[in-house]
């Protein structure tokens, strides 16, 4: 399982990177592998507000439906349009092409896990 060290992680299997006050959010490869083949993604609308640790979308696979929890609070500025027609992009490229949304953050996230901490967390769930 790939866990890029430059990202922050949540215990609910989302990743985030913040650059110039804009957070890019996605789900981890662990989450994508656990879900199986992703067939539908619901992301927050551009202009909507997301709140850290609150549900903001869903990922549906052939196995189940899982909520997506925002790791940040702020206003959604962009959603990944590719996922509308190609949700399986998350399975093949969860950390690059499969990102979910971007948001202008209202405050820096403080409770994120490092790659090392996230790897330890997922070792107990495999």
């Amino acid at each position: 399982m790939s866990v890029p060290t430059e990202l922050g992680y949540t215990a609910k299997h989302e990743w985030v990177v913040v650059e110039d006050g804009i957070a890019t959010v996605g789900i981890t490869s662990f989450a994508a592998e656990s879900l199986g083949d992703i067939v539908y993604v619901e992301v927050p609308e551009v202009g909507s507000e997301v709140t850290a640790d609150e549900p903001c979308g869903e990922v549906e696979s052939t196995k189940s439906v899982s909520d997506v929890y925002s790791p940040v609070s702020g206003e959604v500025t962009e959603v990944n349009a590719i996922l509308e027609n190609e949700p399986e992009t998350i399975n093949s490229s969860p950390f690059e092409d499969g990102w979910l949304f971007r948001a202008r953050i209202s405050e820096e996230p403080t409770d994120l896990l490092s790659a090392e901490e996230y790897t330890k967390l997922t070792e107990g769930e495999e």
Side-chain angles (χ1 to χ4, degrees):
M1 176 181 70
S2 165
V3 182
T5 57
E6 68 276 11
L7 305 176
Y9 299 89
T10 70
K12 294 181 177 129
H13 309 294
E14 287 84 20
W15 61 263
V16 62
V17 62
V18 178
E19 295 174 351
D20 298 324
I22 302 291
T24 302
V25 175
I27 66 169
T28 66
S29 58
F30 178 88
E33 289 169 17
S34 297
L35 286 166
D37 295 332
I38 295 173
V39 296
Y40 176 76
V41 180
E42 180 184 303
V43 294
E45 292 182 21
V46 171
S48 66
E49 293 288 326
V50 291
T51 303
D53 301 321
E54 294 293 323
C56 64
E58 290 182 343
V59 176
E60 184 176 328
S61 72
T62 54
K63 293 182 183 178
S64 67
V65 176
S66 294
D67 284 332
V68 173
Y69 292 82
S70 181
V72 297
S73 294
E75 180 184 351
V76 177
T77 59
E78 185 179 359
V79 296
N80 189 347
I82 292 170
L83 301 180
E84 189 172 331
N85 295 317
E86 299 173 32
E88 68 277 5
T89 303
I90 295 172
N91 291 112
S92 61
S93 184
F95 297 112
E96 290 88 22
D97 300 330
W99 59 275
L100 300 176
F101 66 92
R102 292 191 170 116
R104 182 174 317 284
I105 59 172
S106 53
E107 59 187 60
E108 285 286 329
T110 57
D111 57 351
L112 298 175
L113 303 172
S114 68
E116 184 179 332
E117 291 167 326
Y118 182 73
T119 299
K120 286 180 183 172
L121 173 81
T122 59
E123 284 172 353
E125 295 186 26
E126 293 187 88

